[in-house]
Amino acid sequence: MDVSVYLDVGGTYIKGKLIKDNRVDFDNYKEYESKSEESKSVIIDNFRNIIESLTEDESINKVDYILMAFPGPFDYKKGICKIRGLNKYASLYGLNFIEILRSALAEKNKYKYTNTKIKLINDAVAFAYGNYFKNKVEKGAYFTIGTGFGSTFISKGEIFKGKYNIPKNGMLYDEVFRGKIIDDLISNRGIVDLSKKNGLSVRSSKELYNLAEMNDENALKTFFEFGKILSEILNKYLEDYNPDEIVLAGQIVKSYKYFEKGMNLLLMDKYKKKLKINNDTSKAIMYGLYRMKERG
C-alpha cells in the first residue's frame, strides 16, 4: 500500500491530506495552524504533530512519501531553508529542514518513517503543475498574487524560461516595470501603496476589499488601477509566449470582481478568453505535488 502525505505549507495555515494507493482525491483536506513565527522547536513539533495526525490510522505501518509545497526562498533539493525577513519560518533559516523533520518523526515511531522520502517543492511551481495537468493544455502561464507575485510558465510539461521575453529564471517578481520591481507592484504591499495614493489607510488587500464591499469610491478606484497595472504586465510578458491558458490565484485574486474591469480595459483580447481564476489553490497545489511525484 502506497501511503503519501501532502502538505500545502503557508505562513498562516498548513493544509494537509493523506492519500493511500494513489487514490487521488484532494477534496476535504485538513487545515492546521502553521505557527510559522514561533521558535524552531515549536515549528518542527507542529509539523511532526500534523503528519502524525494524518497518519494515525492503525492500518498504516509505514509512510512512503511526505511531499510539501513550501514558499521560498529555499534550497529545495537539499532542504535548506533560506527564508528570513518575511515574518514566517525565520527560525528555520540556514537549517536542513528535511533532516530535522526526519529526526523528529523518528523519535516516536522510527519504523513508520524509516524509509520515507521527504520532498520539498516550490509552492508556485506545484500550483502551476496542478492546473496544467488538470486542464490538459500544451502551454500555460500561472500567477499567484498575495504577499508577493509568483509566476510559473509551463510548456510541453516542462518549466519554460529564457525565451519569448520570459526571464532566464522563469520568474517575473524581480523584473522592473514602471521603475519598480513587479513584486512591489503586484502584491499586498503594492496594493496598499496604491491605496495610499488614493487617500486610504489600509494594511492589507483584505481591508481594501472590505471597503470596496461598502462601495467606497477610493477603494474601487484602487482596485481598478491595480487591474490596469496587472494587465499591462501580462501583456508585456505573454505577447510572444502566447499561452493556451492564464491562471490567477492567491489572496488578492479573491478580490478579482473589483479589479476585473481594470484588467479588461487593457488586457489583450486574445487573453481574455484564456484567463481563469482558481479559488482553491491548496487543491491545485496538492494535485501538482502528486503529478510531480509520479513524474519522479
Side-chain angles (χ1 to χ4, degrees):
M1 178 171 66
D2 179 276
V3 176
S4 298
V5 172
Y6 294 83
L7 298 178
D8 169 22
V9 180
T12 306
Y13 296 105
I14 296 172
K15 320 288 179 55
K17 181 82 178 189
L18 178 75
I19 298 293
K20 298 180 183 178
D21 292 329
N22 292 320
R23 294 173 184 169
V24 184
D25 176 11
F26 291 107
D27 290 323
N28 304 315
Y29 49 76
K30 295 183 179 180
E31 186 173 284
Y32 308 87
E33 264 191 273
S34 69
K35 302 183 180 180
S36 65
E37 296 184 48
E38 300 289 344
S39 65
K40 179 193 78 171
S41 60
V42 170
I43 290 174
I44 296 299
D45 284 347
N46 190 47
F47 271 97
R48 178 176 61 189
N49 291 339
I50 290 170
I51 293 166
E52 289 178 345
S53 173
L54 289 168
T55 60
E56 64 184 356
D57 189 321
E58 292 182 1
S59 67
I60 298 174
N61 297 315
K62 66 181 181 68
V63 175
D64 297 285
Y65 285 91
I66 298 172
L67 301 116
M68 291 179 278
F70 224 106
F74 228 100
D75 184 328
Y76 291 97
K77 288 185 179 180
K78 294 180 180 179
I80 308 297
C81 178
K82 296 186 176 183
I83 300 172
R84 60 179 173 182
L86 298 177
N87 297 316
K88 57 184 177 184
Y89 303 111
S91 58
L92 299 180
Y93 179 79
L95 302 177
N96 189 317
F97 175 69
I98 289 177
E99 293 308 316
I100 293 172
L101 178 60
R102 189 186 303 280
S103 296
L105 289 167
E107 284 178 10
K108 290 187 177 180
N109 198 325
K110 186 174 183 179
Y111 175 75
K112 184 182 281 189
Y113 304 105
T114 298
N115 297 311
T116 302
K117 295 178 181 178
I118 302 176
K119 292 189 175 183
L120 300 178
I121 306 292
N122 177 271
D123 54 353
V125 171
F127 169 77
Y129 269 112
N131 283 278
Y132 178 83
F133 283 110
K134 179 186 177 184
N135 299 334
K136 299 177 181 178
V137 297
E138 183 174 329
K139 189 191 294 185
Y142 307 92
F143 305 98
T144 53
I145 309 172
T147 54
F149 183 65
S151 56
T152 305
F153 304 88
I154 302 177
S155 179
K156 297 180 181 179
E158 302 297 333
I159 299 295
F160 186 92
K161 52 189 175 182
K163 290 182 182 179
Y164 303 136
N165 207 30
I166 306 300
K168 290 182 180 179
N169 64 1
M171 300 177 185
L172 302 184
Y173 75 96
D174 59 351
E175 290 285 293
V176 177
F177 185 81
R178 291 188 180 181
K180 291 186 176 182
I181 63 168
I182 291 176
D183 212 53
D184 286 340
L185 293 170
I186 306 301
S187 61
N188 185 71
R189 63 184 176 279
I191 205 165
V192 167
D193 287 344
L194 195 59
S195 69
K196 288 178 182 177
K197 294 178 182 178
N198 289 323
L200 295 173
S201 179
V202 297
R203 293 172 295 177
S204 67
S205 62
K206 186 175 182 180
E207 288 184 16
L208 189 66
Y209 174 86
N210 291 337
L211 288 175
E213 287 281 273
M214 294 186 286
N215 210 32
D216 182 282
E217 288 186 12
N218 289 328
L220 295 172
K221 180 182 178 183
T222 299
F223 275 121
F224 183 80
E225 292 174 352
F226 181 83
K228 287 170 60 180
I229 297 169
L230 177 57
S231 65
E232 288 182 86
I233 291 169
L234 294 182
N235 287 341
K236 176 181 178 180
Y237 289 96
L238 297 181
E239 184 172 7
D240 294 334
Y241 179 65
N242 195 26
D244 300 314
E245 71 172 0
I246 304 161
V247 181
L248 302 182
Q251 184 63 40
I252 293 177
V253 177
K254 293 177 182 179
S255 304
Y256 176 69
K257 66 180 180 180
Y258 290 121
F259 64 81
E260 179 181 8
K261 288 183 180 179
M263 278 196 71
N264 285 335
L265 183 68
L266 298 179
L267 189 65
M268 289 183 183
D269 288 338
K270 65 179 180 179
Y271 298 140
K272 290 176 182 176
K273 292 181 180 179
K274 299 178 179 181
L275 185 65
K276 300 174 183 177
I277 305 300
N278 186 313
N279 287 316
D280 194 342
T281 57
S282 292
K283 187 175 178 180
I285 282 171
M286 290 183 203
Y287 184 61
L289 289 173
Y290 167 76
R291 291 305 302 253
M292 294 176 81
K293 183 193 86 167
E294 292 300 292
R295 283 162 60 93

